[in-house]
Amino acid sequence: MVSYSSAVSNPVAAADAPDEARQATHHVKRSDGKTIRFKNPYPSAGEPPSAWEITSTMILGRLTGSAPAPDLSNVKIPAVKPEFLASRTGSTALRATWLGHACYLVEFPSGLRVLFDPVFEGRCAPVQWFGPKRHTPPACALSELPPVDAVVISHSHYDHLSLTSVRELAARNPEAQFFVGLGLEKWFRDNCGTTKVTEMDWWQDSELVLRRKVEAKTGNDQAPETISARITCLPSQHSSARSASDKDQTLWASFAISSGGKSVWFGGDTGYRRVPKLPVHIDDYGPEYDSLPRCPQFKQIGELRGPFDLGLIPIGAYSPRFLFSWMHANPYDAVEIFKDTRCKRAMGIHWGAWVLTNEEVEEPPRLLKDALKRSGLPETGVFDVCAIGETREF
């Protein structure tokens, strides 16, 4: 099997970064200028509800029956066995395979393989005996993946960053480069046995170069000598924490990857607009709510870095809206993000694995079709969902 060594440049501030990025308005600093945590800088996030408010509201809803847990007894999310390319020169298209929740493996026509937010455990929690339990298995085991060149982590929450998964990935792929938000590099170095970690701020670029190792070639071996990619860390509207003591001490982000003439924008996990508490039957995209502030950073991403061949955009974990809209996009938000970022095509992520909030498990794809229709877009073929393990080409 052909193997590669990897090298990555130090992140540099993008020349086209917006003014607020250069001013680091998302950093909260001490008087000596040291960043101690991060924040969402726009009214579209507002002041987040406390962890106690979220937890108590969800528990009370379960106990009183006003917001029961979603029914899993008849959920049928399709799944297929994934098929990856046998070689790095097997396709001129961009190939994206959904492995469950926010995890995608993307194979670029250059030969580059990028894995986004890998979590292969049964529970997205600090321990595997308590916390949200997976109701659909991952598409495959980590051992069944082809060699991975880059692993992108959007933020530190347990449904996006799994210690067990990244440890195994680092062990199986010693040349893989991990790209993370500010503050996470030390966690990776301390816990995952790898030094190939690049932490980045919003609107920073880094170049990844893979060089083929000297090996005996077979007669049909056409693997490229070098593979290059541009990795850009970009904004999202979210938060971070792995315990009660480290809230917002590491940076959440979206990422853009360009290689071989194709580009992907990975939304990770993000909100779009802050919605107040409303009766459940009220449409918060009705005309009376047009004035609710929207996060302007997605239009900046589209204008300065778009268009993208593929967007991986979250569509789930959004109910009740007054608790989660600031940090989790619903399908209507997702379509607006899709348009703002100027993605040519998109796939929905962040649904179908764990019950994290109150909406029915299979609701996000249904609402996505309605959101596309309302926006005058085709209900299929532009912004889709797929079976777990399915590959789409772009």
Side-chain angles (χ1 to χ4, degrees), residues 181-235:
L182 288 180
L184 271 175
E185 181 178 0
K186 185 179 186 302
W187 183 92
F188 268 82
R189 290 177 180 271
D190 289 349
N191 292 285
C192 301
T194 181
T195 60
K196 292 184 174 293
V197 186
T198 301
E199 68 173 28
M200 305 176 73
D201 200 355
W202 292 349
W203 294 101
Q204 283 189 332
D205 293 321
S206 186
E207 298 296 323
L208 172 65
V209 178
L210 309 180
R211 290 184 173 86
R212 179 176 170 148
K213 294 182 178 179
V214 177
E215 297 164 317
K217 292 187 178 182
T218 62
N220 61 356
D221 182 1
Q222 300 297 318
E225 293 295 328
T226 62
I227 298 170
S228 61
R230 182 174 73 171
I231 317 292
T232 304
C233 181
L234 292 165

Short mmCIF file of all heavy atoms in Angstrom, two decimals, residues 181-235:
data_model
loop_
_atom_site.label_atom_id
_atom_site.label_comp_id
_atom_site.label_asym_id
_atom_site.label_seq_id
_atom_site.Cartn_x
_atom_site.Cartn_y
_atom_site.Cartn_z
N GLY A 181 -9.60 23.91 16.79
CA GLY A 181 -9.69 25.30 17.19
C GLY A 181 -8.69 25.63 18.30
O GLY A 181 -8.13 24.75 18.96
N LEU A 182 -8.49 26.94 18.51
CA LEU A 182 -7.55 27.39 19.54
C LEU A 182 -7.86 26.76 20.90
O LEU A 182 -9.02 26.63 21.29
CB LEU A 182 -7.62 28.91 19.68
CG LEU A 182 -7.03 29.75 18.55
CD1 LEU A 182 -7.20 31.23 18.89
CD2 LEU A 182 -5.57 29.43 18.31
N GLY A 183 -6.80 26.35 21.58
CA GLY A 183 -6.94 25.82 22.92
C GLY A 183 -6.97 24.31 23.00
O GLY A 183 -6.81 23.75 24.09
N LEU A 184 -7.17 23.62 21.86
CA LEU A 184 -7.31 22.16 21.89
C LEU A 184 -6.00 21.41 21.64
O LEU A 184 -5.94 20.20 21.84
CB LEU A 184 -8.36 21.70 20.88
CG LEU A 184 -9.80 21.64 21.39
CD1 LEU A 184 -10.75 21.30 20.24
CD2 LEU A 184 -9.95 20.63 22.51
N GLU A 185 -4.98 22.10 21.17
CA GLU A 185 -3.74 21.40 20.84
C GLU A 185 -3.16 20.67 22.06
O GLU A 185 -2.75 19.51 21.97
CB GLU A 185 -2.71 22.37 20.28
CG GLU A 185 -1.40 21.70 19.91
CD GLU A 185 -0.39 22.66 19.31
OE1 GLU A 185 -0.71 23.87 19.19
OE2 GLU A 185 0.72 22.22 18.98
N LYS A 186 -3.13 21.35 23.19
CA LYS A 186 -2.56 20.73 24.40
C LYS A 186 -3.34 19.50 24.79
O LYS A 186 -2.76 18.47 25.18
CB LYS A 186 -2.53 21.74 25.56
CG LYS A 186 -1.85 21.20 26.81
CD LYS A 186 -1.82 22.23 27.93
CE LYS A 186 -1.01 21.75 29.12
NZ LYS A 186 -1.53 20.49 29.68
N TRP A 187 -4.67 19.54 24.70
CA TRP A 187 -5.50 18.37 25.03
C TRP A 187 -5.11 17.19 24.14
O TRP A 187 -4.96 16.06 24.63
CB TRP A 187 -6.98 18.72 24.86
CG TRP A 187 -7.91 17.61 25.25
CD1 TRP A 187 -8.48 17.41 26.47
CD2 TRP A 187 -8.39 16.56 24.40
NE1 TRP A 187 -9.29 16.29 26.44
CE2 TRP A 187 -9.25 15.75 25.19
CE3 TRP A 187 -8.19 16.22 23.07
CZ2 TRP A 187 -9.89 14.62 24.67
CZ3 TRP A 187 -8.83 15.10 22.55
CH2 TRP A 187 -9.67 14.30 23.35
N PHE A 188 -4.92 17.44 22.86
CA PHE A 188 -4.54 16.36 21.95
C PHE A 188 -3.16 15.81 22.29
O PHE A 188 -2.96 14.59 22.32
CB PHE A 188 -4.58 16.86 20.50
CG PHE A 188 -5.90 16.63 19.84
CD1 PHE A 188 -6.95 17.53 20.04
CD2 PHE A 188 -6.12 15.53 19.03
CE1 PHE A 188 -8.17 17.33 19.43
CE2 PHE A 188 -7.33 15.33 18.42
CZ PHE A 188 -8.37 16.22 18.62
N ARG A 189 -2.22 16.70 22.51
CA ARG A 189 -0.86 16.24 22.81
C ARG A 189 -0.81 15.46 24.12
O ARG A 189 -0.09 14.47 24.24
CB ARG A 189 0.10 17.43 22.87
CG ARG A 189 0.36 18.06 21.50
CD ARG A 189 1.25 19.28 21.62
NE ARG A 189 1.51 19.89 20.32
CZ ARG A 189 2.50 19.56 19.51
NH1 ARG A 189 3.35 18.62 19.87
NH2 ARG A 189 2.67 20.17 18.36
N ASP A 190 -1.59 15.89 25.10
CA ASP A 190 -1.59 15.22 26.40
C ASP A 190 -2.32 13.88 26.39
O ASP A 190 -1.98 12.98 27.15
CB ASP A 190 -2.24 16.12 27.46
CG ASP A 190 -1.39 17.33 27.82
OD1 ASP A 190 -0.21 17.37 27.41
OD2 ASP A 190 -1.92 18.23 28.49
N ASN A 191 -3.33 13.76 25.52
CA ASN A 191 -4.23 12.61 25.61
C ASN A 191 -4.17 11.63 24.45
O ASN A 191 -4.62 10.49 24.59
CB ASN A 191 -5.68 13.10 25.74
CG ASN A 191 -5.96 13.79 27.04
OD1 ASN A 191 -6.09 13.16 28.09
ND2 ASN A 191 -6.05 15.11 27.01
N CYS A 192 -3.65 12.05 23.30
CA CYS A 192 -3.83 11.23 22.11
C CYS A 192 -2.55 10.67 21.52
O CYS A 192 -2.59 10.00 20.48
CB CYS A 192 -4.56 12.03 21.04
SG CYS A 192 -6.17 12.61 21.60
N GLY A 193 -1.41 10.96 22.13
CA GLY A 193 -0.19 10.37 21.65
C GLY A 193 0.26 10.84 20.29
O GLY A 193 0.94 10.11 19.57
N THR A 194 -0.13 12.05 19.90
CA THR A 194 0.31 12.59 18.62
C THR A 194 0.78 14.02 18.79
O THR A 194 0.25 14.77 19.62
CB THR A 194 -0.83 12.55 17.57
OG1 THR A 194 -0.35 13.08 16.33
CG2 THR A 194 -2.03 13.35 18.02
N THR A 195 1.79 14.38 18.02
CA THR A 195 2.25 15.77 17.99
C THR A 195 1.79 16.47 16.72
O THR A 195 2.08 17.66 16.54
CB THR A 195 3.79 15.83 18.07
OG1 THR A 195 4.35 15.12 16.96
CG2 THR A 195 4.28 15.21 19.37
N LYS A 196 1.09 15.77 15.87
CA LYS A 196 0.66 16.34 14.58
C LYS A 196 -0.68 17.04 14.74
O LYS A 196 -1.71 16.59 14.21
CB LYS A 196 0.62 15.25 13.52
CG LYS A 196 2.00 14.72 13.15
CD LYS A 196 1.95 13.71 12.03
CE LYS A 196 3.34 13.32 11.59
NZ LYS A 196 4.09 14.42 10.95
N VAL A 197 -0.65 18.11 15.50
CA VAL A 197 -1.87 18.87 15.81
C VAL A 197 -1.63 20.33 15.45
O VAL A 197 -0.63 20.92 15.87
CB VAL A 197 -2.24 18.75 17.30
CG1 VAL A 197 -3.59 19.43 17.56
CG2 VAL A 197 -2.27 17.30 17.74
N THR A 198 -2.55 20.90 14.71
CA THR A 198 -2.48 22.31 14.34
C THR A 198 -3.72 23.00 14.86
O THR A 198 -4.83 22.68 14.43
CB THR A 198 -2.39 22.47 12.81
OG1 THR A 198 -1.23 21.80 12.33
CG2 THR A 198 -2.32 23.95 12.43
N GLU A 199 -3.54 23.90 15.83
CA GLU A 199 -4.68 24.64 16.33
C GLU A 199 -4.76 25.98 15.60
O GLU A 199 -3.74 26.61 15.31
CB GLU A 199 -4.67 24.80 17.84
CG GLU A 199 -3.59 25.67 18.41
CD GLU A 199 -3.79 25.90 19.92
OE1 GLU A 199 -4.37 25.02 20.59
OE2 GLU A 199 -3.35 26.95 20.41
N MET A 200 -6.00 26.41 15.32
CA MET A 200 -6.20 27.55 14.44
C MET A 200 -7.27 28.48 14.99
O MET A 200 -8.21 28.05 15.67
CB MET A 200 -6.61 27.07 13.04
CG MET A 200 -5.64 26.08 12.43
SD MET A 200 -6.20 25.42 10.83
CE MET A 200 -5.94 26.86 9.77
N ASP A 201 -7.13 29.75 14.67
CA ASP A 201 -8.14 30.76 14.97
C ASP A 201 -9.00 30.97 13.73
O ASP A 201 -8.63 30.58 12.61
CB ASP A 201 -7.45 32.06 15.37
CG ASP A 201 -8.36 32.99 16.17
OD1 ASP A 201 -9.56 32.68 16.33
OD2 ASP A 201 -7.87 34.05 16.62
N TRP A 202 -10.15 31.60 13.92
CA TRP A 202 -11.00 31.92 12.78
C TRP A 202 -10.23 32.75 11.76
O TRP A 202 -9.45 33.64 12.10
CB TRP A 202 -12.21 32.71 13.24
CG TRP A 202 -13.19 31.92 14.08
CD1 TRP A 202 -13.22 30.59 14.29
CD2 TRP A 202 -14.29 32.47 14.81
NE1 TRP A 202 -14.26 30.24 15.12
CE2 TRP A 202 -14.93 31.38 15.46
CE3 TRP A 202 -14.78 33.76 14.99
CZ2 TRP A 202 -16.07 31.56 16.26
CZ3 TRP A 202 -15.90 33.93 15.80
CH2 TRP A 202 -16.54 32.85 16.42
N TRP A 203 -10.44 32.44 10.49
CA TRP A 203 -9.83 33.15 9.37
C TRP A 203 -8.31 32.99 9.35
O TRP A 203 -7.58 33.88 8.96
CB TRP A 203 -10.23 34.62 9.34
CG TRP A 203 -11.69 34.79 9.07
CD1 TRP A 203 -12.68 35.05 9.98
CD2 TRP A 203 -12.36 34.65 7.80
NE1 TRP A 203 -13.90 35.10 9.36
CE2 TRP A 203 -13.74 34.87 8.02
CE3 TRP A 203 -11.91 34.40 6.49
CZ2 TRP A 203 -14.68 34.81 6.98
CZ3 TRP A 203 -12.84 34.34 5.47
CH2 TRP A 203 -14.22 34.55 5.72
N GLN A 204 -7.85 31.80 9.72
CA GLN A 204 -6.46 31.44 9.50
C GLN A 204 -6.38 30.32 8.47
O GLN A 204 -7.25 29.44 8.41
CB GLN A 204 -5.79 30.98 10.80
CG GLN A 204 -5.43 32.10 11.74
CD GLN A 204 -4.59 31.64 12.91
OE1 GLN A 204 -4.66 30.51 13.35
NE2 GLN A 204 -3.75 32.54 13.43
N ASP A 205 -5.31 30.36 7.67
CA ASP A 205 -5.05 29.36 6.65
C ASP A 205 -3.82 28.54 7.01
O ASP A 205 -2.87 29.07 7.61
CB ASP A 205 -4.78 30.02 5.29
CG ASP A 205 -6.00 30.70 4.71
OD1 ASP A 205 -7.11 30.16 4.85
OD2 ASP A 205 -5.84 31.79 4.11
N SER A 206 -3.84 27.29 6.59
CA SER A 206 -2.67 26.43 6.73
C SER A 206 -2.57 25.54 5.49
O SER A 206 -3.60 25.16 4.92
CB SER A 206 -2.77 25.57 8.00
OG SER A 206 -1.60 24.84 8.21
N GLU A 207 -1.36 25.23 5.08
CA GLU A 207 -1.15 24.37 3.92
C GLU A 207 -0.69 22.99 4.39
O GLU A 207 0.25 22.86 5.17
CB GLU A 207 -0.10 24.97 2.98
CG GLU A 207 -0.49 26.31 2.40
CD GLU A 207 -1.72 26.24 1.49
OE1 GLU A 207 -1.86 25.23 0.76
OE2 GLU A 207 -2.52 27.20 1.51
N LEU A 208 -1.37 21.97 3.88
CA LEU A 208 -1.02 20.58 4.17
C LEU A 208 -0.41 19.97 2.92
O LEU A 208 -1.00 20.07 1.83
CB LEU A 208 -2.26 19.80 4.59
CG LEU A 208 -2.11 18.28 4.74
CD1 LEU A 208 -1.16 17.95 5.89
CD2 LEU A 208 -3.47 17.62 4.97
N VAL A 209 0.76 19.36 3.05
CA VAL A 209 1.42 18.72 1.92
C VAL A 209 1.75 17.27 2.30
O VAL A 209 2.37 17.02 3.34
CB VAL A 209 2.71 19.46 1.51
CG1 VAL A 209 3.41 18.73 0.37
CG2 VAL A 209 2.39 20.89 1.10
N LEU A 210 1.32 16.35 1.46
CA LEU A 210 1.65 14.93 1.62
C LEU A 210 2.69 14.57 0.56
O LEU A 210 2.53 14.92 -0.61
CB LEU A 210 0.42 14.05 1.44
CG LEU A 210 -0.84 14.39 2.24
CD1 LEU A 210 -1.95 13.40 1.91
CD2 LEU A 210 -0.56 14.40 3.72
N ARG A 211 3.73 13.87 0.97
CA ARG A 211 4.77 13.43 0.05
C ARG A 211 4.88 11.91 0.12
O ARG A 211 5.02 11.34 1.20
CB ARG A 211 6.11 14.08 0.38
CG ARG A 211 6.14 15.57 0.08
CD ARG A 211 7.51 16.18 0.31
NE ARG A 211 7.52 17.57 -0.14
CZ ARG A 211 7.14 18.60 0.60
NH1 ARG A 211 6.68 18.38 1.84
NH2 ARG A 211 7.18 19.82 0.11
N ARG A 212 4.81 11.34 -1.05
CA ARG A 212 4.85 9.89 -1.14
C ARG A 212 6.18 9.35 -0.61
O ARG A 212 7.26 9.87 -0.96
CB ARG A 212 4.65 9.46 -2.59
CG ARG A 212 4.68 7.98 -2.81
CD ARG A 212 4.37 7.67 -4.25
NE ARG A 212 4.64 6.28 -4.53
CZ ARG A 212 3.98 5.57 -5.39
NH1 ARG A 212 3.01 6.12 -6.10
NH2 ARG A 212 4.27 4.31 -5.60
N LYS A 213 6.12 8.33 0.21
CA LYS A 213 7.33 7.71 0.73
C LYS A 213 7.97 6.85 -0.35
O LYS A 213 7.31 6.35 -1.26
CB LYS A 213 7.01 6.86 1.96
CG LYS A 213 6.55 7.68 3.16
CD LYS A 213 6.29 6.80 4.36
CE LYS A 213 5.87 7.64 5.57
NZ LYS A 213 5.58 6.79 6.76
N VAL A 214 9.28 6.69 -0.25
CA VAL A 214 10.02 5.89 -1.23
C VAL A 214 9.69 4.42 -1.01
O VAL A 214 10.02 3.84 0.02
CB VAL A 214 11.54 6.12 -1.10
CG1 VAL A 214 12.30 5.24 -2.08
CG2 VAL A 214 11.84 7.59 -1.34
N GLU A 215 9.02 3.85 -1.99
CA GLU A 215 8.60 2.45 -1.89
C GLU A 215 8.70 1.81 -3.27
O GLU A 215 8.73 2.50 -4.29
CB GLU A 215 7.14 2.36 -1.41
CG GLU A 215 6.94 2.93 -0.02
CD GLU A 215 5.47 3.19 0.27
OE1 GLU A 215 4.78 3.71 -0.63
OE2 GLU A 215 5.03 2.88 1.37
N ALA A 216 8.73 0.53 -3.30
CA ALA A 216 8.72 -0.18 -4.58
C ALA A 216 7.36 0.00 -5.24
O ALA A 216 6.31 -0.18 -4.62
CB ALA A 216 9.00 -1.66 -4.35
N LYS A 217 7.36 0.40 -6.49
CA LYS A 217 6.12 0.63 -7.21
C LYS A 217 5.66 -0.65 -7.91
O LYS A 217 6.46 -1.41 -8.42
CB LYS A 217 6.29 1.74 -8.24
CG LYS A 217 6.51 3.12 -7.66
CD LYS A 217 6.49 4.18 -8.76
CE LYS A 217 6.66 5.57 -8.18
NZ LYS A 217 6.59 6.62 -9.24
N THR A 218 4.36 -0.86 -7.93
CA THR A 218 3.79 -1.94 -8.71
C THR A 218 3.50 -1.42 -10.11
O THR A 218 3.50 -0.22 -10.37
CB THR A 218 2.49 -2.45 -8.07
OG1 THR A 218 1.56 -1.36 -8.04
CG2 THR A 218 2.74 -2.93 -6.65
N GLY A 219 3.24 -2.31 -11.02
CA GLY A 219 3.06 -1.93 -12.42
C GLY A 219 1.91 -0.98 -12.65
O GLY A 219 1.95 -0.14 -13.55
N ASN A 220 0.84 -1.08 -11.85
CA ASN A 220 -0.34 -0.22 -12.05
C ASN A 220 -0.44 0.88 -11.00
O ASN A 220 -1.50 1.45 -10.80
CB ASN A 220 -1.61 -1.07 -12.05
CG ASN A 220 -1.82 -1.80 -10.73
OD1 ASN A 220 -0.97 -1.74 -9.86
ND2 ASN A 220 -2.93 -2.51 -10.63
N ASP A 221 0.66 1.17 -10.35
CA ASP A 221 0.66 2.14 -9.26
C ASP A 221 0.76 3.56 -9.83
O ASP A 221 1.81 3.97 -10.33
CB ASP A 221 1.83 1.85 -8.33
CG ASP A 221 1.87 2.79 -7.14
OD1 ASP A 221 0.98 3.65 -7.04
OD2 ASP A 221 2.79 2.65 -6.32
N GLN A 222 -0.34 4.30 -9.76
CA GLN A 222 -0.38 5.66 -10.28
C GLN A 222 -0.60 6.69 -9.17
O GLN A 222 -1.00 7.82 -9.45
CB GLN A 222 -1.51 5.78 -11.32
CG GLN A 222 -1.38 4.86 -12.51
CD GLN A 222 -0.13 5.15 -13.32
OE1 GLN A 222 0.21 6.31 -13.56
NE2 GLN A 222 0.57 4.11 -13.73
N ALA A 223 -0.35 6.31 -7.94
CA ALA A 223 -0.56 7.23 -6.83
C ALA A 223 0.31 8.47 -7.00
O ALA A 223 1.47 8.37 -7.40
CB ALA A 223 -0.25 6.55 -5.50
N PRO A 224 -0.23 9.67 -6.72
CA PRO A 224 0.54 10.90 -6.93
C PRO A 224 1.74 11.00 -6.00
O PRO A 224 1.74 10.46 -4.89
CB PRO A 224 -0.48 12.00 -6.65
CG PRO A 224 -1.52 11.36 -5.80
CD PRO A 224 -1.59 9.94 -6.24
N GLU A 225 2.77 11.70 -6.48
CA GLU A 225 3.97 11.91 -5.67
C GLU A 225 3.70 12.86 -4.52
O GLU A 225 4.21 12.68 -3.41
CB GLU A 225 5.11 12.45 -6.54
CG GLU A 225 5.62 11.46 -7.58
CD GLU A 225 6.27 10.23 -6.96
OE1 GLU A 225 6.86 10.35 -5.87
OE2 GLU A 225 6.17 9.15 -7.57
N THR A 226 2.92 13.91 -4.77
CA THR A 226 2.56 14.86 -3.72
C THR A 226 1.08 15.18 -3.80
O THR A 226 0.47 15.13 -4.86
CB THR A 226 3.36 16.18 -3.83
OG1 THR A 226 3.05 16.81 -5.08
CG2 THR A 226 4.85 15.94 -3.73
N ILE A 227 0.52 15.50 -2.65
CA ILE A 227 -0.89 15.93 -2.54
C ILE A 227 -0.89 17.17 -1.65
O ILE A 227 -0.26 17.17 -0.58
CB ILE A 227 -1.77 14.84 -1.91
CG1 ILE A 227 -1.78 13.58 -2.78
CG2 ILE A 227 -3.20 15.35 -1.70
CD1 ILE A 227 -2.43 12.38 -2.11
N SER A 228 -1.56 18.21 -2.06
CA SER A 228 -1.59 19.43 -1.26
C SER A 228 -3.02 19.87 -1.01
O SER A 228 -3.94 19.53 -1.77
CB SER A 228 -0.80 20.55 -1.93
OG SER A 228 -1.37 20.87 -3.19
N ALA A 229 -3.20 20.63 0.05
CA ALA A 229 -4.54 21.12 0.41
C ALA A 229 -4.39 22.42 1.20
O ALA A 229 -3.39 22.62 1.90
CB ALA A 229 -5.29 20.09 1.25
N ARG A 230 -5.40 23.26 1.08
CA ARG A 230 -5.49 24.44 1.95
C ARG A 230 -6.58 24.20 2.98
O ARG A 230 -7.70 23.85 2.62
CB ARG A 230 -5.80 25.71 1.15
CG ARG A 230 -5.85 26.95 2.05
CD ARG A 230 -6.02 28.24 1.27
NE ARG A 230 -7.36 28.39 0.74
CZ ARG A 230 -7.81 29.52 0.17
NH1 ARG A 230 -7.01 30.57 0.06
NH2 ARG A 230 -9.03 29.58 -0.30
N ILE A 231 -6.23 24.37 4.23
CA ILE A 231 -7.15 24.21 5.35
C ILE A 231 -7.42 25.60 5.91
O ILE A 231 -6.48 26.33 6.27
CB ILE A 231 -6.57 23.32 6.46
CG1 ILE A 231 -5.86 22.10 5.89
CG2 ILE A 231 -7.65 22.96 7.48
CD1 ILE A 231 -6.74 21.09 5.22
N THR A 232 -8.69 25.98 6.01
CA THR A 232 -9.04 27.29 6.56
C THR A 232 -9.99 27.11 7.73
O THR A 232 -11.02 26.43 7.61
CB THR A 232 -9.70 28.19 5.51
OG1 THR A 232 -8.85 28.30 4.37
CG2 THR A 232 -9.96 29.57 6.07
N CYS A 233 -9.63 27.69 8.85
CA CYS A 233 -10.52 27.72 10.02
C CYS A 233 -11.43 28.93 9.88
O CYS A 233 -10.97 30.05 9.63
CB CYS A 233 -9.68 27.82 11.29
SG CYS A 233 -10.64 27.85 12.83
N LEU A 234 -12.73 28.73 10.04
CA LEU A 234 -13.73 29.76 9.82
C LEU A 234 -14.72 29.81 10.98
O LEU A 234 -14.79 28.87 11.77
CB LEU A 234 -14.45 29.50 8.50
CG LEU A 234 -13.59 29.67 7.23
CD1 LEU A 234 -14.27 29.04 6.02
CD2 LEU A 234 -13.28 31.14 6.98
N PRO A 235 -15.50 30.86 11.09
CA PRO A 235 -16.41 30.98 12.24
C PRO A 235 -17.58 29.99 12.21
O PRO A 235 -17.98 29.48 11.17
CB PRO A 235 -16.94 32.42 12.11
CG PRO A 235 -15.95 33.13 11.26
CD PRO A 235 -15.44 32.10 10.31
#
